[in-house]
Amino acid sequence: MINPVIRPRRLRSTPALRRLASETRLHPAELVLPLFVREGNESTAISSMPGVVQHSIDGARRAVAEAAAAGIGGVMLFGVPAVRDATGTGATDPDGILNAATRAVVAEVGDALVVQTDLCLDEFTDHGHCGVLAADGHVDNDATLLRYNEMAIAQAEAGSALLGLSGMMDGQVASVRATLDAAGYADTAVLAYSAKYASAYYGPFREAVQSTLVGDRRTYQLDPANRREGVREARIDIDEGADVVMVKPAGSYLDVLAEVAAMSSVPVWAYQVSGEYAMIEAAAAQGWIDRRRAIEESVLSIRRAGADAILTYWAVELAAWLTETDAR
C-alpha cells in the first residue's frame, strides 16, 4: 500500500485552509483604472473593448467617483482630441482635452485617488507616432524630449500627481525629472514605462484613442524577443530618477516582470493591456471560459510575478469582487 509521508494537499483541503495558505493576495488599492476622455458631451462605446468607453468630461467625473468609492488606487487618463497635428500641440494646450479632464477629475476626487496622466504624443499627433518626426520620417528622439518636457509642465499644472512616460524615448525620465524640478514640481511623481514592448496586444487601444498610426513603433518600443533589454531599460530609468517603473504588456511578459521586480529599488507596476482585456471578454462572451475566474486569475498572476500595482480595465469590477470576498 502506498502511504505518502509528505502530503501537500492538506493545505488545499478546505476553503479556510486555502485562504490561510495563500501566498499572493490582491487588494483594491493595488489597482489602477485606465480611462479614455474625449472631446464633446457624449460618451462613446469602444467596440473592441466591451464595457469600456471614451468618456466625456462629465462621464469621467462619474467614473472616477465610482472608482474612488470602490477603493482602487488610482486612474490613468488618456486624451482623445478632436484635432491633431504634426507636433501634437493639443497635448500642451492648457485647455486641451487631457489637461482639462485632469483638472475636472482632480476637482472631483481630490486625494481619494492618485490621478495619473499619460505623457505621450501618440494620441495628439496626426501621424500617430509617440514623438516628433524628422524630415526623413523617423522619430527624432531629442526633439521629442523637448515636447515631453512641455507636456510635463502642462500636466503638472493641471494637477496630475503622477506622469506616465510611455513614449520609450532615450533619456525621457532624466529630461522630464529635471524639467519638473526646475519648475517647482519636485513632488510630481514619474512613472516610467520602462519595458514597453512592440506588441500585437495594443490593437483595441488603437481604436480607443482613434490612433492615426501608419506603420509600427519598432524603432523605439522593445523587441518581444528581448528579456535582458527590458531589465536594462528599467535599470536606466531607475538611475535617471523614476519613482515607479512599468512592464507592458503584462500577461505575456511575466518573466520580464519577475526579473525587474527582483532587481528594482522602486515600485514595479504592470499594465494589463487592451488586447488582454479583449481576449478574455471575447472568450467569455462565447461561453468558452468562466469570465470572473479568468479575470481574477489573470490579474493575480501579474501580482504573483512581482507587480506592486496593476493597470487593468477591470479595476473597479475586480475591486468590488475583492471587497465582497473579504466581507464573507
Side-chain angles (χ1 to χ4, degrees):
M1 179 178 177
I2 298 173
N3 185 21
V5 175
I6 299 174
R7 295 181 180 269
R9 285 183 56 190
R10 293 188 188 105
L11 296 182
R12 306 173 204 147
S13 59
T14 69
L17 272 170
R18 290 194 296 273
R19 185 172 65 248
L20 185 62
S22 180
E23 298 176 25
T24 307
R25 303 177 195 278
L26 287 171
H27 189 278
E30 297 162 353
L31 305 175
V32 176
L33 177 67
L35 280 178
F36 304 103
V37 190
R38 61 173 294 159
E39 297 191 44
N41 298 320
E42 300 293 330
S43 295
T44 302
I46 300 166
S47 64
S48 57
M49 299 178 70
V52 180
V53 303
Q54 295 174 338
H55 293 278
S56 66
I57 288 182
D58 284 343
R61 287 192 184 99
R62 292 189 291 272
V64 298
E66 180 185 11
I72 70 169
V75 292
M76 175 66 77
L77 303 181
F78 296 87
V80 186
V83 177
R84 306 169 194 225
D85 58 28
T87 59
T89 55
T92 46
D93 180 353
D95 297 317
I97 183 59
L98 181 55
N99 297 321
T102 302
R103 288 194 299 273
V105 165
V106 170
E108 183 70 33
V109 297
D111 291 330
L113 292 171
V114 178
V115 177
Q116 308 162 38
T117 45
D118 180 57
L119 197 157
C120 192
L121 285 169
D122 60 322
E123 296 108 286
F124 297 93
T125 54
D126 55 12
H127 47 75
H129 275 289
C130 298
V132 177
L133 299 186
D136 64 0
H138 82 275
V139 176
D140 187 325
N141 191 96
D142 296 358
T144 298
L145 294 184
L146 298 178
R147 293 291 292 132
Y148 286 1
N149 293 344
E150 294 166 353
M151 288 181 70
I153 298 302
Q155 292 182 6
E157 287 178 345
S160 178
L162 182 148
L163 311 184
L165 277 61
S166 62
M168 289 299 291
M169 296 296 118
D170 292 343
Q172 62 183 14
V173 172
S175 184
V176 166
R177 181 73 271 160
T179 298
L180 290 169
D181 292 351
Y185 292 105
D187 290 334
T188 301
V190 168
L191 159 65
Y193 285 52
S194 301
K196 182 177 179 181
Y197 286 83
S199 173
Y201 292 109
Y202 302 147
F205 181 90
R206 304 279 167 81
E207 179 194 352
V209 297
Q210 298 174 344
S211 175
T212 57
L213 180 67
V214 175
D216 59 51
R217 297 177 175 137
R218 294 177 187 271
T219 63
Y220 44 103
Q221 294 179 354
L222 298 180
D223 184 340
N226 294 356
R227 173 181 49 81
R228 289 193 301 270
E229 188 177 19
V231 178
R232 181 190 183 211
E233 288 275 8
R235 283 200 178 98
I236 291 169
D237 287 342
I238 292 168
D239 289 344
E240 290 187 2
D243 299 288
V244 183
V245 293
M246 175 90 88
V247 175
K248 178 183 179 182
S252 293
Y253 296 87
L254 296 181
D255 58 330
V256 179
L257 173 59
E259 286 209 35
V260 171
M263 70 83 184
S264 179
S265 57
V266 302
V268 178
W269 294 3
Y271 197 144
Q272 187 178 44
V273 300
S274 59
E276 297 174 84
Y277 174 92
M279 288 191 299
I280 289 178
E281 290 289 352
Q286 293 294 324
W288 295 336
I289 58 174
D290 182 311
R291 179 178 180 272
R292 175 166 174 172
R293 287 188 62 194
I295 292 169
E296 291 174 332
E297 184 177 338
S298 69
V299 179
L300 185 66
S301 69
I302 299 166
R303 181 76 177 86
R304 187 189 65 240
D308 298 295
I310 301 161
L311 278 72
T312 176
Y313 298 96
W314 290 300
V316 171
E317 185 176 17
L318 180 55
W321 295 341
L322 294 171
T323 302
E324 168 191 301
T325 301
D326 288 344
R328 289 175 182 169

